Amino acid sequence: MIDKEKFDDWYNEIVETAELCDKRYPIKGMNIWKPYGWKIMQNIDALIRYEMERTGHNEVYFPLLIPESYFKKEEEHIRGFSAEVYWVTHAGKNELEERLLLRPTSETALYSIFSLWIRSHADLPLKTFQIVNTFRYETKMTKAFIRVREIHFFEAHTCHADYEDAERQIKEDLEIAERFFKKLCLPFIVSKRPDWDKFAGAYYSIGIDVLMPSMKTLQVGSIHQYKQNFSKPFEIKYEGKDGKHYYCHQTTYGMSERVLGAIVGIHGDEKGIKLPSSIAPIKVVIIPIIFKGWEEKIMEECRKIKEEIEKLGLSCHIDDRDKTPGNKFYDWELKGVPLRVEIGPKDIENKVISIATRDGIKKKIPVNEIEKLKEELEEYDKRIYAEAEKFLKENIHVLKEVESREGILELPWCGKEECGIKMEEELDMKSLGTPLPEKECNEKCAICKEKATTWLRLAKTY
Ligand code: ZN
């Protein structure tokens, strides 16, 4: 893992040197996805789609533009987003009669249409998701994948007959998060956001946060219980079995390209990024170690081994560029390929391949036991997960008093907003909220010294 002091410079550089993105486009906060970075993001999206399908969500794709009248239907939502909205006011030479906005998120677009789609209790639950670009006019300093103005965004939206069913959905979302982030080797914490920091229009919000080497937390996912806060202004009603009409209960689950930012940051080292095998565009790279007189024989063996590896379902690439093996090692380590295979004359003679995992384990594997590469990748994933988990656990500090520490702090809290705000001010940190699952607290509030009912988590955040 990268040292805290070096992290920012390292991160800003690695996203370009590892060929994930190009930051030279002349609009601030709008970067270009390079082929390698985009392939990784698509692999991440594929994992999301897999989870969505498994849980009965259907993919939709709504228009980018939202009419102002739709956007204005939910008051808190407008208040929360109005400073970040991009407006379209003209089309060709004409000024538009009604302004349109670029979606900063899609509640108001989807819900106006959900009110047409949902008629009866038989239409529920409605479980949809989309993976689209959203636009937010960020005024803080932008950072590739972490704070951008055009965001590659995943959003699931569901409608339910009652509050209990919506709560079941939130439980399912948390299970999805558990499976999804495990595949990405990213340990995380889940917190119920404090009321003063919930999503605009939500009844309550849950944040999924990871800890970056900079000691700041990064929100990589959020789940919102809307109750009927949107269904009432958007008139999303259904006819119950009793023939009466009821407003739906709604939830959302959102994630974004920040997930890639977290992978880059948390699994990086001096050599480059380390990709979890689940999303690496190339899982195994073969480097021919050419000796004079062996050229043909070695390339032939490389091609044979590549075929064997692909039969295992692992994407594999032979690097036959006119460069030294050392230079090739450097390039693929920078780009985070999980497994490197070297094939030279000695390996052919001994009927083995030499392997090196991206985290530095080297060994020889007999050619006739090539299926062992799968185990090697599994072990590699486990090790990078364990390293990240150790880092997270070591940097969560359960305290009794307000005390300046790095990482994530948990302080006994009476639940009063003024005490929470005071903690934020004294520590110069933001509150992440209360731990989920809930954690018992038998201490006194770190501010007012009255009985604490729960813990408040605080951290420096992105
Ligand atoms: Zn208090």
Side-chain angles (χ1 to χ4, degrees), residues 8-21:
D8 273 327
D9 290 338
W10 174 89
Y11 182 91
N12 290 337
E13 214 176 289
I14 202 81
V15 293
E16 287 195 305
T17 51
E19 297 193 29
L20 305 176
C21 69

Side-chain angles (χ1 to χ4, degrees), residues 285-288 317-323 328 331-332:
V285 63
I286 300 177
I287 314 284
H317 172 73
I318 301 173
D319 186 353
D320 57 1
R321 292 176 300 165
D322 189 16
K323 279 185 155 191
K328 293 178 184 178
D331 287 350
W332 296 111

